[in-house]
Amino acid sequence: MASIDLNADLGEGFGRWQLTDDEQLLSVVTSANVACGFHAGDAATMRRVCELAVARGVRIGAQVSYRDLAGFGRRAMDVPSAELTAEVAYQIGALEVFARAAGTRVSYVKPHGALYNRVVHDEEQAAAVVDGVRLADATLPVLGLPGSRLLEAAGKAGLEAVTEAFADRAYTEEGTLVPRGREGAVVTDPEAVVERSLGLARDRSVTACSGARIRVEARSLCLHGDTPGAVELARRVRERLETSGIRVEAFV
């Protein structure tokens, strides 16, 4: 039986501002990418999401980012390697405190936003992220785009490299994500997202923006928590996968 992990970006609030419906999404996904305070999130939010995740048996991942609260971590930044390494380790360590307090551990690491896209091609920044993961915990898997410099660096460093796909993002024929600033970069039709999810989980393929069918080998499927109707869409995706014979389970 084919299987797939479902991950979502959670804890993306700050103070009184809340972006994601963490409690409801945690009833659907199997892995939670928890914001660690650099693009979103704060101490109280991290603690609450960790407690909710443990109660629902969901794995906790550190979603690390450039230090960019104002831009939600989606603005391009140039950060020296040594500084980025330290900041990645710092974010993982902060989340680990709350994961342990809730009775579990951080299970993996995933970059967010501009950092995620940068380490697809940038070997130096990818190595800095991997060094940060190793500094925090050299046993942690790294979640990223198939074929990225990040996963290549993780594998070379002895870390488990875990591939993921996006049902609600457009792909180029090269297997990279279409930049958010371009028209059609985000797939907004719920039925299309559900069908793309099934194709990625069952057939390991998706239709690129050119119309070509491309291969995408992924062990985890990302469901964005900050899109309108995210909870209902996530439920529809999981239901469709399970009724199609796809086992939904955490990759770690």
Side-chain angles (χ1 to χ4, degrees), residues 169-181:
R169 291 294 307 278
Y171 278 81
T172 67
E173 282 196 37
E174 292 71 36
T176 59
L177 300 179
V178 174
R180 279 185 175 268

Side-chain angles (χ1 to χ4, degrees), residues 18-160:
Q18 298 296 321
L19 179 63
T20 51
D21 189 340
D22 300 324
E23 188 166 3
Q24 293 301 314
L25 282 167
L26 284 166
S27 68
V28 181
V29 301
T30 46
S31 296
N33 317 316
V34 183
C36 299
F38 271 38
H39 76 279
D42 53 34
T45 301
M46 285 190 279
R47 181 179 184 183
R48 176 178 56 81
V49 174
C50 285
E51 290 172 347
L52 289 170
V54 168
R56 289 160 177 74
V58 175
R59 300 295 185 270
I60 295 171
Q63 188 169 38
V64 298
S65 171
Y66 288 128
R67 188 189 293 270
D68 181 27
L69 274 176
F72 196 61
R74 287 179 174 163
R75 298 185 294 189
M77 304 183 75
D78 289 317
V79 179
S81 293
E83 184 177 337
L84 181 58
T85 291
E87 292 190 339
V88 166
Y90 179 93
Q91 291 174 79
I92 297 168
L95 186 63
E96 177 69 10
V97 168
F98 299 115
R100 286 192 183 190
T104 187
R105 301 287 301 273
V106 170
S107 295
Y108 64 94
V109 178
K110 174 185 172 178
H112 164 81
L115 181 58
Y116 187 98
N117 292 324
R118 181 76 172 265
V119 296
V120 170
H121 303 292
D122 191 318
E123 186 174 346
E124 184 177 337
Q125 293 278 278
V129 170
V130 169
D131 286 345
V133 175
R134 294 177 63 209
L135 182 61
D137 184 346
T139 68
L140 290 175
V142 176
L143 186 61
L145 202 70
S148 65
R149 291 289 180 265
L150 175 68
L151 295 192
E152 180 183 350
K156 288 180 178 178
L159 304 179
E160 183 182 3

Side-chain angles (χ1 to χ4, degrees), residues 184-197:
V186 179
V187 181
T188 57
D189 177 26
E191 188 56 35
V193 174
V194 172
E195 289 302 316
R196 287 164 68 89
S197 298

